[in-house]
Amino acid sequence: MPQTSPLPPAILLLGPTASGKTACALALAGRLPVEIVSVDSALVYRDMDIGTAKPSADEQAACPHHLIDIVSPEEAYSAARFCHDARRLMVDITARGRIPLLVGGTMLYYKALRDGLSELPEADPDLRRTIEDAAARDGWPAVHAELARVDPAAAARLQPNDAQRIQRALEIVRLTGRPLADSYARHAHDAGTHRFVPIALAPSDRAALHARIEKRFDAMLLAGFVDEVVALRRRYRLDPDLPSMRCVGYRQALEYLDGRCALATFRDKGIFATRQLAKRQLTWQRNFRDNWDDLIELDCLAAGVEENVRETVERALG
C-alpha cells in the first residue's frame, strides 16, 4: 500500500538520454491530469531544438509543458534557479487541480530539488582568472595536480583535462579552506510542498541503449542539426565555453563547423559524448537507488514500458 501523506503528489520521471522519457510522459498525460515540468538543462534554451531532442510542437500541445525555451543560449541556467522555478510551478499546477510531472535527465536538478542545494560559495572572478592564467601557462593537468595536492579526493574524481570542474573545485577549496566534499555536504533545505513519486527508467541492456543513441543522433543529423547550429551562430554570440554549447553534440558541431574535424568524426564524437552522458546519468541513478527508499526502477527496453510506467504511477498515487 502506498504511504499516506498530507502533501500533494509530484511525479518524478527520470532516466538516461534515449530511454523513452517523453513517450512515457505523454502516455501518462493521456490518462492522468498532469502538467509536465522539464528537468533538462538543455531544453531551457530557445532555438536549440534538434540537438536537444526537444519535444515537438505537437507533443508539447498534447499536454502543458513548462521550463522549455525560457532562456537564450547566451545565458546560464543553474540548479538553484531550476529549484525556484520548479517549486513555484509545482504549487501552481497543484492549485489548478492537476499533478506536476517532472520529466528529464538532468540528475543534479533532481538531487537539488529533493535533497537540497549545497551551500557553495559564489564564483570569484579574480580567483577564476588566476586559475585560468595558470592553466593557460602550465596546462589543465598541472592545475589538476595542484588540486590533488590540496584535495586528493576531489582530484581523484576528475579527469586531468576536465577544465570546468577542475576550475570550480579548486576555486571552492581555496575560498572555503575545506575539502570539496565538506562544502557539498552542507545543504540548504526548503520546506517540502509535495510528496515525490520517483520513477526511474533504466536499460536492462546497455548495448541496446547505445544503439538507440546512435540511431537518434543519425536522425538528428538528417533532421538538420548542423543547419540548426549554423543558425544559432548567426543569431547569438556563442563560444564553446557557454553552458548551452556544452550540451552534448553542440560543442562537437562547433568543431566541425570550424573545420577542426570531418563530418564523420563529428558524428562519432557526438555519439560518444551522448553515450558518456548516459553513463553519468545512470551513475546518478544508482546513487538515487541507494539513497531514495521510494525509488521505483523500470526497464526502459521492456515491451509496454509506457503502460508499466502508468500502472506504477497509478498504484503509487493510490
Side-chain angles (χ1 to χ4, degrees):
M1 293 293 291
Q3 292 183 340
T4 59
S5 169
L7 297 176
I11 305 162
L12 309 183
L13 180 59
L14 51 145
T17 185
S19 60
K21 297 183 294 295
T22 296
C24 289
L26 292 175
L28 279 173
R31 296 291 296 268
L32 295 172
V34 299
E35 294 188 25
I36 294 173
V37 178
S38 172
V39 188
D40 193 302
S41 60
L43 298 192
V44 297
Y45 294 112
R46 289 188 289 271
D47 299 317
M48 292 173 55
D49 303 330
I50 298 172
T52 63
K54 191 172 290 180
S56 68
D58 288 343
E59 289 171 333
Q60 293 189 49
C63 172
H65 283 65
H66 305 277
L67 299 188
I68 293 177
D69 293 334
I70 60 172
V71 297
S72 160
E74 297 172 336
E75 299 178 64
Y77 189 81
S78 66
R81 183 172 171 186
F82 166 78
C83 288
H84 175 271
D85 291 345
R87 290 190 182 106
R88 170 182 53 80
L89 285 163
M90 288 160 59
V91 170
D92 291 347
I93 292 167
T94 298
R96 290 192 285 270
R98 301 176 70 83
I99 303 171
L101 170 57
L102 288 84
V103 183
T106 300
M107 303 304 175
L108 173 62
Y109 287 5
Y110 283 114
K111 181 172 177 57
L113 184 66
R114 176 153 183 170
D115 298 338
L117 284 165
S118 301
E119 296 179 347
L120 301 179
E122 295 291 329
D124 184 307
D126 292 336
L127 179 54
R128 287 199 163 189
R129 276 193 294 272
T130 298
I131 296 171
E132 288 170 356
D133 289 345
R137 183 182 64 248
D138 304 323
W140 282 107
V143 180
H144 181 266
E146 170 62 19
L147 177 63
R149 283 191 287 273
V150 297
D151 190 346
R157 293 193 296 271
L158 301 175
Q159 295 297 316
N161 286 305
D162 193 344
Q164 180 189 7
R165 291 182 175 85
I166 292 170
Q167 180 191 57
R168 182 58 173 153
L170 188 56
E171 177 188 34
I172 292 170
V173 172
R174 288 183 178 177
L175 287 172
T176 64
R178 298 191 303 266
L180 190 64
D182 285 1
S183 295
Y184 275 104
R186 296 166 181 259
H187 289 289
H189 271 287
D190 289 345
T193 59
H194 290 71
R195 66 177 176 93
F196 293 116
V197 179
I199 310 293
L201 300 177
S204 54
D205 180 353
R206 191 75 63 91
L209 182 68
H210 287 177
R212 278 192 184 183
I213 288 170
E214 181 175 359
K215 182 178 179 181
R216 190 175 72 171
F217 198 86
D218 284 338
M220 289 175 178
L221 291 177
L222 289 173
F225 180 29
V226 172
D227 291 338
E228 176 177 272
V229 181
V230 170
L232 284 166
R233 295 182 87 176
R234 288 175 180 159
R235 185 166 186 177
Y236 303 100
R237 297 179 61 184
L238 302 178
D239 68 69
D241 292 324
L242 282 170
S244 62
M245 292 298 102
R246 290 200 295 268
C247 296
V248 293
Y250 286 88
R251 175 170 285 180
Q252 293 79 20
L254 292 179
E255 291 180 2
Y256 166 64
L257 290 171
D258 288 340
R260 288 180 282 152
C261 69
L263 178 61
T265 303
F266 155 52
R267 174 190 177 272
D268 291 344
K269 284 186 172 183
I271 291 170
F272 177 78
T274 310
R275 288 175 175 173
Q276 291 299 107
L277 170 63
K279 180 180 178 180
R280 293 192 299 272
Q281 291 169 318
L282 289 168
T283 299
W284 275 98
Q285 283 188 199
R286 283 197 299 272
N287 180 267
F288 293 159
R289 187 171 63 236
D290 292 341
N291 292 282
W292 295 358
D293 293 338
D294 52 354
L295 180 70
I296 301 171
E297 198 166 72
L298 300 174
D299 181 8
C300 67
L301 303 175
V305 62
E306 293 91 350
E307 185 67 12
N308 289 342
V309 168
R310 182 191 63 76
E311 292 177 352
T312 301
V313 169
E314 289 181 340
R315 284 195 299 270
L317 293 178

